[in-house]
Coordinates of all heavy atoms in Angstrom, one line a residue:
M912 N 26.8 11.5 -2.8 CA 26.0 12.2 -1.8 C 24.6 12.4 -2.4 O 24.4 12.7 -3.6 CB 26.6 13.5 -1.5 CG 26.0 14.2 -0.3 SD 27.4 15.0 0.6 CE 26.7 15.0 2.2
A913 N 23.6 12.3 -1.6 CA 22.2 12.5 -2.0 C 21.6 13.6 -1.1 O 22.0 13.8 0.0 CB 21.5 11.2 -1.8
A914 N 20.6 14.3 -1.7 CA 19.8 15.2 -1.0 C 18.6 14.4 -0.3 O 17.8 13.8 -1.0 CB 19.2 16.3 -1.9
L915 N 18.6 14.4 1.0 CA 17.6 13.7 1.7 C 16.4 14.6 2.0 O 16.5 15.7 2.5 CB 18.1 13.1 3.0 CG 19.3 12.1 2.8 CD1 19.8 11.7 4.2 CD2 18.8 10.9 2.0
I916 N 15.2 14.1 1.6 CA 14.0 14.9 1.8 C 13.2 14.0 2.7 O 12.8 12.9 2.3 CB 13.2 15.2 0.5 CG1 14.1 16.0 -0.4 CG2 11.9 15.9 0.8 CD1 13.5 16.2 -1.8
Y917 N 12.9 14.4 4.0 CA 12.1 13.6 4.9 C 10.7 14.0 4.8 O 10.3 15.2 4.9 CB 12.7 13.8 6.3 CG 14.1 13.3 6.5 CD1 15.1 14.2 6.4 CD2 14.3 12.0 6.7 CE1 16.4 13.8 6.6 CE2 15.6 11.5 6.9 CZ 16.7 12.4 6.8 OH 18.0 12.0 6.9
L918 N 9.8 13.0 4.6 CA 8.4 13.3 4.5 C 7.6 12.1 5.0 O 8.1 11.0 5.0 CB 8.0 13.8 3.1 CG 8.3 12.8 2.0 CD1 7.2 11.7 1.8 CD2 8.4 13.6 0.7
D919 N 6.4 12.4 5.4 CA 5.5 11.4 5.8 C 4.7 10.9 4.6 O 3.9 11.6 4.0 CB 4.5 11.9 6.9 CG 3.5 10.9 7.3 OD1 3.4 9.8 6.8 OD2 2.7 11.2 8.3
A920 N 5.0 9.7 4.1 CA 4.3 9.2 2.9 C 2.8 9.2 3.0 O 2.1 9.2 2.0 CB 4.8 7.8 2.6
Q921 N 2.2 9.1 4.2 CA 0.8 9.2 4.3 C 0.2 10.5 4.0 O -1.0 10.7 3.8 CB 0.4 8.8 5.8 CG 0.7 7.3 6.0 CD 0.0 6.4 5.0 OE1 -1.2 6.5 4.7 NE2 0.7 5.4 4.5
T922 N 1.1 11.6 3.9 CA 0.6 12.9 3.6 C 0.7 13.1 2.1 O 0.3 14.2 1.6 CB 1.3 14.0 4.3 OG1 2.7 14.0 3.9 CG2 1.2 13.8 5.8
V923 N 1.3 12.2 1.3 CA 1.5 12.3 -0.1 C 0.3 11.6 -0.8 O 0.1 10.4 -0.6 CB 2.8 11.7 -0.6 CG1 3.0 11.8 -2.1 CG2 4.0 12.4 0.1
H924 N -0.5 12.4 -1.5 CA -1.7 11.8 -2.1 C -1.6 12.0 -3.7 O -2.1 13.1 -4.2 CB -3.0 12.5 -1.6 CG -3.1 12.2 -0.1 ND1 -3.7 13.2 0.7 CD2 -2.8 11.2 0.7 CE1 -3.7 12.7 2.0 NE2 -3.2 11.5 2.0
P925 N -1.1 11.1 -4.4 CA -0.9 11.3 -5.8 C -2.3 11.4 -6.5 O -3.2 10.6 -6.2 CB -0.2 10.1 -6.3 CG -0.4 9.0 -5.2 CD -0.5 9.8 -4.0
V926 N -2.4 12.3 -7.5 CA -3.7 12.5 -8.2 C -3.6 11.8 -9.5 O -2.6 12.0 -10.3 CB -4.0 14.0 -8.4 CG1 -5.3 14.1 -9.3 CG2 -4.2 14.6 -7.1
I927 N -4.4 10.8 -9.8 CA -4.4 10.0 -11.1 C -5.8 10.1 -11.6 O -6.8 9.7 -11.0 CB -4.0 8.6 -10.9 CG1 -2.6 8.5 -10.2 CG2 -4.0 7.8 -12.2 CD1 -2.2 7.1 -9.7
N928 N -6.0 10.7 -12.8 CA -7.3 10.8 -13.5 C -8.3 11.5 -12.6 O -9.5 11.1 -12.5 CB -7.8 9.5 -13.9 CG -7.0 8.9 -15.0 OD1 -6.4 9.6 -15.8 ND2 -6.9 7.6 -15.1
G929 N -7.9 12.5 -11.8 CA -8.8 13.3 -11.0 C -9.2 12.8 -9.7 O -9.9 13.4 -8.9
E930 N -8.6 11.6 -9.3 CA -8.8 11.1 -8.0 C -7.5 11.0 -7.2 O -6.5 10.7 -7.7 CB -9.4 9.6 -8.0 CG -10.8 9.6 -8.6 CD -11.3 8.1 -8.4 OE1 -10.5 7.2 -8.7 OE2 -12.5 8.0 -8.0
W931 N -7.6 11.4 -5.9 CA -6.3 11.3 -5.1 C -6.3 9.9 -4.4 O -7.3 9.4 -4.0 CB -6.2 12.5 -4.1 CG -7.1 12.7 -3.0 CD1 -8.3 13.4 -3.1 CD2 -7.1 12.2 -1.7 NE1 -8.9 13.4 -1.9 CE2 -8.2 12.6 -1.0 CE3 -6.2 11.3 -1.0 CZ2 -8.4 12.3 0.3 CZ3 -6.4 11.0 0.3 CH2 -7.5 11.5 1.0
H932 N -5.1 9.4 -4.3 CA -4.9 8.1 -3.7 C -3.9 8.1 -2.5 O -3.3 9.1 -2.3 CB -4.3 7.2 -4.8 CG -5.2 7.0 -6.0 ND1 -6.0 6.0 -6.2 CD2 -5.3 7.9 -7.1 CE1 -6.6 6.1 -7.4 NE2 -6.2 7.3 -7.9
R933 N -3.9 7.0 -1.8 CA -2.9 6.9 -0.7 C -1.8 6.0 -1.2 O -2.1 4.9 -1.8 CB -3.6 6.4 0.6 CG -4.6 7.4 1.1 CD -5.2 6.8 2.4 NE -6.2 7.7 2.9 CZ -6.0 8.8 3.7 NH1 -4.7 9.1 4.0 NH2 -6.9 9.5 4.1
L934 N -0.6 6.2 -0.8 CA 0.6 5.4 -1.2 C 0.6 4.1 -0.4 O 0.2 4.1 0.8 CB 1.9 6.1 -1.0 CG 2.1 7.3 -1.9 CD1 3.5 8.0 -1.5 CD2 2.1 6.9 -3.4
A935 N 1.0 3.0 -1.1 CA 1.1 1.7 -0.4 C 2.5 1.6 0.3 O 2.6 0.7 1.1 CB 0.9 0.6 -1.4
G936 N 3.4 2.4 0.0 CA 4.7 2.3 0.6 C 5.5 3.6 0.6 O 4.9 4.7 0.3
A937 N 6.7 3.6 0.9 CA 7.5 4.8 1.0 C 7.9 5.3 -0.5 O 7.9 4.5 -1.4 CB 8.8 4.6 1.7
L938 N 8.2 6.6 -0.6 CA 8.6 7.1 -1.9 C 10.1 6.8 -2.1 O 10.9 6.9 -1.2 CB 8.4 8.6 -2.0 CG 7.0 9.1 -2.1 CD1 7.0 10.7 -1.9 CD2 6.5 8.8 -3.5
E939 N 10.4 6.3 -3.3 CA 11.8 6.1 -3.6 C 12.1 6.9 -4.9 O 11.3 7.2 -5.7 CB 12.0 4.6 -4.0 CG 11.7 3.7 -2.8 CD 12.7 3.8 -1.7 OE1 13.8 4.3 -1.9 OE2 12.3 3.4 -0.5
P940 N 13.4 7.4 -5.0 CA 13.7 8.2 -6.1 C 13.6 7.5 -7.4 O 14.0 6.3 -7.5 CB 15.2 8.7 -5.9 CG 15.7 7.8 -4.8 CD 14.5 7.2 -4.1
A941 N 13.1 8.1 -8.5 CA 13.0 7.5 -9.8 C 12.3 6.2 -9.9 O 12.7 5.3 -10.6 CB 14.4 7.5 -10.5
E942 N 11.3 6.0 -9.0 CA 10.7 4.7 -9.0 C 9.2 5.0 -9.1 O 8.7 6.0 -8.6 CB 11.0 4.0 -7.6 CG 10.7 2.5 -7.6 CD 11.1 1.9 -6.3 OE1 12.3 1.6 -6.2 OE2 10.3 1.7 -5.4
A943 N 8.5 4.0 -9.7 CA 7.0 4.2 -9.8 C 6.4 4.1 -8.4 O 6.9 3.4 -7.5 CB 6.4 3.1 -10.7
I944 N 5.3 4.8 -8.2 CA 4.5 4.6 -6.9 C 3.4 3.7 -7.2 O 2.9 3.4 -8.3 CB 4.0 6.0 -6.4 CG1 3.2 6.7 -7.5 CG2 5.1 6.9 -6.0 CD1 1.7 6.7 -7.3
T945 N 2.9 3.0 -6.1 CA 1.8 2.1 -6.1 C 0.8 2.6 -5.1 O 1.1 2.8 -3.9 CB 2.2 0.7 -5.8 OG1 3.2 0.3 -6.8 CG2 1.0 -0.3 -5.9
T946 N -0.5 2.7 -5.5 CA -1.5 3.2 -4.6 C -2.1 2.0 -3.8 O -1.9 0.8 -4.2 CB -2.6 3.9 -5.3 OG1 -3.2 2.9 -6.2 CG2 -2.1 5.0 -6.2
L947 N -2.9 2.2 -2.8 CA -3.5 1.2 -2.0 C -4.4 0.3 -2.9 O -4.5 -0.9 -2.7 CB -4.3 1.7 -0.8 CG -3.6 2.3 0.3 CD1 -4.6 2.8 1.4 CD2 -2.6 1.3 0.9
C948 N -5.0 1.0 -3.9 CA -6.0 0.3 -4.8 C -5.3 -0.5 -5.9 O -5.9 -1.1 -6.8 CB -7.1 1.2 -5.3 SG -6.5 2.5 -6.4
G949 N -3.9 -0.4 -6.0 CA -3.2 -1.2 -6.9 C -2.7 -0.5 -8.2 O -2.2 -1.2 -9.1
I950 N -2.9 0.8 -8.3 CA -2.4 1.5 -9.5 C -0.9 1.8 -9.3 O -0.5 2.4 -8.3 CB -3.2 2.8 -9.7 CG1 -4.7 2.6 -9.9 CG2 -2.6 3.6 -10.9 CD1 -5.5 3.8 -10.0
S951 N -0.1 1.5 -10.3 CA 1.3 1.9 -10.4 C 1.5 2.9 -11.5 O 1.0 2.8 -12.6 CB 2.2 0.7 -10.6 OG 2.1 -0.2 -9.5
D952 N 2.2 4.0 -11.1 CA 2.5 5.1 -12.1 C 3.8 5.8 -11.8 O 4.3 5.7 -10.6 CB 1.3 6.0 -12.1 CG 1.1 6.7 -13.5 OD1 2.1 6.7 -14.3 OD2 0.0 7.3 -13.7
T953 N 4.3 6.5 -12.7 CA 5.5 7.3 -12.5 C 5.2 8.6 -11.8 O 4.3 9.3 -12.3 CB 6.2 7.6 -13.8 OG1 6.4 6.3 -14.5 CG2 7.5 8.3 -13.6
P954 N 5.8 8.9 -10.7 CA 5.4 10.2 -10.0 C 6.0 11.4 -10.7 O 7.1 11.3 -11.3 CB 6.1 10.0 -8.6 CG 7.2 9.1 -8.8 CD 6.8 8.2 -10.0
M955 N 5.3 12.5 -10.6 CA 5.8 13.8 -11.1 C 5.5 14.8 -10.0 O 4.3 14.9 -9.5 CB 5.0 14.2 -12.3 CG 5.6 15.4 -13.1 SD 4.8 15.7 -14.7 CE 3.7 17.0 -14.2
F956 N 6.5 15.5 -9.5 CA 6.3 16.4 -8.3 C 6.0 17.8 -8.8 O 6.6 18.3 -9.7 CB 7.6 16.3 -7.5 CG 7.9 14.9 -7.0 CD1 8.8 14.1 -7.6 CD2 7.1 14.4 -6.0 CE1 9.1 12.8 -7.2 CE2 7.4 13.1 -5.5 CZ 8.4 12.3 -6.2
M957 N 4.9 18.4 -8.2 CA 4.5 19.7 -8.5 C 4.3 20.5 -7.2 O 4.1 19.9 -6.1 CB 3.1 19.7 -9.2 CG 3.1 18.9 -10.5 SD 3.9 19.7 -11.8 CE 2.6 20.9 -12.2
P958 N 4.4 21.8 -7.3 CA 4.2 22.7 -6.1 C 2.7 22.5 -5.6 O 1.8 22.3 -6.4 CB 4.4 24.1 -6.6 CG 5.2 24.0 -7.8 CD 4.8 22.7 -8.4
L959 N 2.6 22.5 -4.3 CA 1.2 22.2 -3.7 C 0.2 23.2 -4.2 O -1.0 22.9 -4.4 CB 1.3 22.3 -2.1 CG 0.1 22.0 -1.4 CD1 -0.4 20.6 -1.7 CD2 0.3 22.2 0.1
D960 N 0.6 24.5 -4.4 CA -0.4 25.5 -4.8 C -0.9 25.3 -6.2 O -1.9 26.0 -6.6 CB 0.2 26.9 -4.6 CG 1.4 27.2 -5.4 OD1 1.8 26.3 -6.1 OD2 1.9 28.3 -5.3
E961 N -0.3 24.3 -6.9 CA -0.9 24.0 -8.3 C -1.8 22.8 -8.2 O -2.3 22.4 -9.3 CB 0.3 23.7 -9.2 CG 1.1 25.0 -9.5 CD 2.2 24.7 -10.5 OE1 2.1 23.7 -11.3 OE2 3.2 25.4 -10.4
R962 N -2.0 22.3 -7.0 CA -2.8 21.0 -6.9 C -4.3 21.2 -7.5 O -4.8 20.3 -8.0 CB -2.9 20.6 -5.4 CG -3.5 19.3 -5.2 CD -3.3 18.8 -3.8 NE -3.8 17.4 -3.6 CZ -4.9 17.1 -3.0 NH1 -5.7 18.0 -2.5 NH2 -5.3 15.8 -3.0
R963 N -4.8 22.4 -7.3 CA -6.2 22.6 -7.7 C -6.3 23.3 -9.1 O -7.4 23.7 -9.4 CB -7.0 23.3 -6.6 CG -7.1 22.5 -5.4 CD -7.8 23.3 -4.3 NE -8.0 22.5 -3.1 CZ -9.0 22.6 -2.3 NH1 -9.9 23.5 -2.5 NH2 -9.1 21.8 -1.2
S964 N -5.2 23.4 -9.8 CA -5.2 24.2 -11.0 C -6.0 23.5 -12.1 O -6.4 24.1 -13.1 CB -3.8 24.6 -11.5 OG -3.1 23.4 -11.7
H965 N -6.2 22.2 -12.0 CA -7.0 21.4 -13.0 C -8.2 20.8 -12.4 O -8.7 19.7 -12.7 CB -6.1 20.3 -13.6 CG -4.8 20.8 -14.3 ND1 -4.9 21.5 -15.4 CD2 -3.5 20.8 -13.9 CE1 -3.6 21.9 -15.8 NE2 -2.8 21.4 -14.8
G966 N -8.8 21.5 -11.4 CA -10.0 21.0 -10.7 C -9.7 20.4 -9.4 O -8.5 20.1 -9.1
I967 N -10.6 20.3 -8.5 CA -10.4 19.7 -7.2 C -10.4 18.2 -7.3 O -11.5 17.6 -7.6 CB -11.5 20.3 -6.2 CG1 -11.4 21.8 -6.1 CG2 -11.3 19.6 -4.8 CD1 -12.5 22.4 -5.3
P968 N -9.3 17.5 -6.9 CA -9.3 16.1 -6.9 C -10.2 15.5 -5.9 O -10.4 16.1 -4.8 CB -7.8 15.7 -6.6 CG -7.1 17.0 -6.8 CD -8.0 18.1 -6.5
R969 N -10.9 14.4 -6.2 CA -11.7 13.7 -5.2 C -11.0 12.5 -4.8 O -10.2 11.9 -5.5 CB -13.1 13.4 -5.8 CG -13.0 12.4 -7.0 CD -14.4 12.3 -7.7 NE -14.3 11.3 -8.7 CZ -13.7 11.4 -9.9 NH1 -13.1 12.5 -10.2 NH2 -13.7 10.4 -10.8
Q970 N -11.4 12.0 -3.6 CA -10.7 10.8 -3.1 C -11.1 9.5 -3.8 O -12.3 9.4 -4.2 CB -11.0 10.6 -1.6 CG -10.3 9.5 -1.0 CD -10.5 9.4 0.5 OE1 -11.5 9.9 1.0 NE2 -9.5 8.8 1.2
C971 N -10.2 8.6 -4.0 CA -10.5 7.3 -4.6 C -11.3 6.5 -3.6 O -10.8 6.3 -2.5 CB -9.2 6.7 -5.0 SG -9.3 4.9 -5.4
D972 N -12.4 6.0 -4.0 CA -13.2 5.2 -3.0 C -12.6 3.9 -2.6 O -12.6 3.5 -1.4 CB -14.6 4.9 -3.7 CG -15.5 6.1 -3.8 OD1 -15.3 7.0 -3.0 OD2 -16.4 6.1 -4.6
A973 N -11.9 3.3 -3.5 CA -11.2 2.0 -3.2 C -10.1 2.2 -2.2 O -9.9 1.5 -1.2 CB -10.7 1.3 -4.4
C974 N -9.2 3.3 -2.4 CA -8.2 3.6 -1.4 C -8.8 3.9 -0.1 O -8.3 3.5 1.0 CB -7.3 4.8 -1.9 SG -6.0 4.4 -3.1
D975 N -9.9 4.7 0.0 CA -10.5 5.1 1.2 C -11.0 3.8 2.0 O -10.8 3.7 3.2 CB -11.7 6.0 1.0 CG -12.3 6.5 2.2 OD1 -11.6 7.0 3.1 OD2 -13.6 6.3 2.4
T976 N -11.6 2.9 1.3 CA -12.2 1.7 1.9 C -11.1 0.9 2.5 O -11.2 0.4 3.6 CB -12.9 0.9 0.8 OG1 -14.1 1.7 0.3 CG2 -13.4 -0.4 1.4
I977 N -10.0 0.7 1.7 CA -8.8 -0.1 2.2 C -8.2 0.6 3.4 O -7.9 -0.1 4.4 CB -7.8 -0.3 1.0 CG1 -8.4 -1.2 -0.1 CG2 -6.5 -1.0 1.5 CD1 -7.7 -1.1 -1.4
Y978 N -8.0 1.9 3.3 CA -7.3 2.6 4.4 C -8.1 2.5 5.7 O -7.6 2.2 6.7 CB -7.2 4.1 3.9 CG -6.6 5.0 5.0 CD1 -5.2 5.0 5.1 CD2 -7.4 5.8 5.8 CE1 -4.6 5.9 6.1 CE2 -6.8 6.6 6.7 CZ -5.4 6.7 6.9 OH -4.9 7.5 7.8
R979 N -9.4 2.7 5.6 CA -10.3 2.6 6.7 C -10.4 1.2 7.3 O -10.3 1.1 8.5 CB -11.7 3.1 6.4 CG -11.8 4.6 6.2 CD -13.2 5.0 5.6 NE -13.3 6.4 5.3 CZ -13.6 7.3 6.2 NH1 -14.0 7.0 7.4 NH2 -13.7 8.6 5.9
R980 N -10.4 0.2 6.5 CA -10.5 -1.2 6.9 C -9.3 -1.5 7.7 O -9.3 -2.2 8.7 CB -10.7 -2.1 5.7 CG -11.0 -3.5 6.1 CD -11.2 -4.4 4.9 NE -12.3 -3.9 4.0 CZ -12.2 -3.9 2.6 NH1 -11.1 -4.4 2.1 NH2 -13.1 -3.5 1.9
R981 N -8.1 -1.2 7.2 CA -6.8 -1.5 7.8 C -6.7 -0.8 9.2 O -6.0 -1.3 10.0 CB -5.7 -1.1 6.9 CG -5.5 -2.0 5.7 CD -4.3 -1.6 4.9 NE -4.1 -2.4 3.8 CZ -3.2 -2.3 2.9 NH1 -2.3 -1.3 3.0 NH2 -3.1 -3.1 1.8
R982 N -7.3 0.3 9.4 CA -7.2 1.0 10.7 C -8.4 0.9 11.6 O -8.5 1.5 12.6 CB -6.9 2.5 10.4 CG -5.4 2.7 9.9 CD -5.2 4.0 9.3 NE -3.8 4.1 8.9 CZ -3.2 3.5 7.9 NH1 -3.9 2.7 7.1 NH2 -1.9 3.7 7.6
G983 N -9.4 0.1 11.1 CA -10.5 -0.1 12.0 C -11.4 1.1 12.0 O -12.2 1.3 13.0
I984 N -11.3 2.0 11.0 CA -12.2 3.2 10.9 C -13.4 2.8 10.2 O -13.4 2.2 9.1 CB -11.4 4.3 10.2 CG1 -10.1 4.7 10.9 CG2 -12.3 5.6 10.1 CD1 -9.2 5.6 10.1
P985 N -14.6 3.1 10.7 CA -15.9 2.8 10.0 C -15.9 3.5 8.6 O -15.3 4.5 8.4 CB -17.0 3.4 10.9 CG -16.3 3.6 12.2 CD -14.9 3.8 12.0
S986 N -16.5 2.8 7.7 CA -16.6 3.3 6.3 C -17.4 4.6 6.4 O -18.2 4.9 7.3 CB -17.3 2.3 5.4 OG -18.7 2.2 5.7
R987 N -17.3 5.5 5.3 CA -18.1 6.7 5.3 C -19.5 6.4 5.3 O -20.3 7.0 5.9 CB -17.7 7.5 4.0 CG -16.4 8.2 4.2 CD -16.1 9.1 3.0 NE -15.7 8.3 1.9 CZ -15.4 8.8 0.7 NH1 -15.4 10.1 0.5 NH2 -15.0 8.0 -0.2
R988 N -20.0 5.4 4.5 CA -21.4 5.0 4.4 C -21.8 4.5 5.8 O -22.9 4.9 6.2 CB -21.6 3.9 3.4 CG -23.0 3.5 3.2 CD -23.2 2.6 2.1 NE -22.8 3.2 0.8 CZ -23.6 3.9 0.0 NH1 -24.8 4.2 0.4 NH2 -23.1 4.4 -1.1
G989 N -21.0 3.7 6.5 CA -21.4 3.2 7.8 C -21.6 4.3 8.8 O -22.5 4.3 9.7
R990 N -20.7 5.3 8.7 CA -20.8 6.5 9.6 C -22.2 7.2 9.4 O -22.8 7.6 10.4 CB -19.7 7.5 9.4 CG -18.4 7.1 10.1 CD -17.4 8.2 9.9 NE -16.3 7.9 10.8 CZ -15.2 8.7 10.8 NH1 -15.1 9.7 10.1 NH2 -14.2 8.4 11.6
L991 N -22.5 7.4 8.2 CA -23.8 8.1 7.9 C -25.0 7.3 8.3 O -25.9 7.9 8.9 CB -23.9 8.4 6.3 CG -22.9 9.4 5.8 CD1 -23.0 9.5 4.3 CD2 -23.2 10.8 6.3
D992 N -24.9 6.0 8.1 CA -26.0 5.2 8.5 C -26.2 5.2 10.1 O -27.3 5.3 10.6 CB -25.8 3.7 8.0 CG -26.0 3.6 6.5 OD1 -26.5 4.6 5.9 OD2 -25.5 2.6 6.0
S993 N -25.1 5.1 10.8 CA -25.2 5.1 12.3 C -25.6 6.4 12.8 O -26.3 6.5 13.8 CB -23.9 4.7 12.9 OG -22.9 5.6 12.6
R994 N -25.3 7.5 12.1 CA -25.7 8.9 12.5 C -27.2 9.0 12.3 O -27.9 9.6 13.2 CB -24.9 9.9 11.7 CG -24.7 11.2 12.4 CD -23.9 12.2 11.7 NE -22.5 11.8 11.7 CZ -21.5 12.3 10.9 NH1 -21.9 13.2 10.0 NH2 -20.3 12.0 11.0
R995 N -27.7 8.5 11.2 CA -29.1 8.6 10.9 C -29.9 7.8 11.9 O -30.9 8.2 12.4 CB -29.4 8.1 9.5 CG -29.1 9.1 8.4 CD -29.6 8.7 7.1 NE -29.0 9.5 6.1 CZ -28.2 9.0 5.1 NH1 -28.0 7.7 5.1 NH2 -27.6 9.7 4.3
A996 N -29.4 6.6 12.3 CA -30.1 5.7 13.2 C -30.1 6.4 14.6 O -31.1 6.2 15.3 CB -29.3 4.4 13.3
A997 N -29.1 7.1 15.0 CA -29.1 7.8 16.3 C -30.1 8.9 16.3 O -30.6 9.2 17.4 CB -27.7 8.3 16.6
Q998 N -30.4 9.5 15.2 CA -31.3 10.6 15.1 C -32.8 10.2 15.1 O -33.7 10.9 15.5 CB -31.0 11.5 13.9 CG -29.7 12.3 14.0 CD -29.4 13.0 12.7 OE1 -30.0 12.7 11.7 NE2 -28.4 13.9 12.7
E999 N -33.0 8.9 14.8 CA -34.4 8.4 14.7 C -34.9 7.9 16.0 O -34.1 7.6 16.9 CB -34.5 7.3 13.6 CG -34.3 7.9 12.2 CD -34.2 6.8 11.1 OE1 -34.2 5.6 11.4 OE2 -34.1 7.2 10.0
Ligands
ZN2483 ZN1 -7.0 4.4 -5.3

C-alpha cells in the first residue's frame, strides 16, 4: 500500500542554485526530477514556509522561455517592448 499525494506538478518549482525551475514531467517517488531547461537532480522536500530561508529564489530564464514558448505566451522582454511601443 502506498500513500498517495495528489498534486499539480506545474505548481512544484524546485530551487537549484538559487533559481526556481518548472518540472518537465510528473513527480515519481525516489526518482530524480528533470527541469524544462534539462537539469536533473534528486528532489528533497521541505515545508513551504522554509522556501525563503536562504534568500528569495529567482526564476530560471531558460525554463521561463521554454514554458512561455510552449504555451504561446509572449516572452517577458517581448511584453515590455510592446508595452513601451503602445505608450509612444
Ligand atoms: Zn531551468
Side-chain angles (χ1 to χ4, degrees):
M912 189 143 206
L915 298 176
I916 301 171
Y917 296 96
L918 55 85
D919 179 354
Q921 291 304 314
T922 65
V923 178
H924 299 147
V926 176
I927 302 170
N928 293 330
E930 289 188 317
W931 65 269
H932 301 261
R933 294 184 184 274
L934 292 179
L938 285 172
E939 299 293 337
E942 198 174 278
I944 53 106
T945 302
T946 64
L947 288 182
C948 66
I950 298 172
S951 291
D952 207 343
T953 304
M955 192 172 98
F956 301 100
M957 301 286 287
L959 182 61
D960 60 1
E961 293 182 24
R962 187 169 188 257
R963 295 177 177 213
S964 61
H965 301 290
I967 299 172
R969 64 188 186 286
Q970 184 176 23
C971 167
D972 287 337
C974 276
D975 183 55
T976 298
I977 296 165
Y978 179 80
R979 288 172 182 272
R980 190 180 305 139
R981 288 182 178 177
R982 285 164 178 74
I984 302 169
S986 69
R987 281 186 286 181
R988 182 174 300 274
R990 278 185 170 177
L991 290 173
D992 291 345
S993 65
R994 209 175 284 165
R995 283 192 197 114
Q998 291 173 347
E999 292 173 356

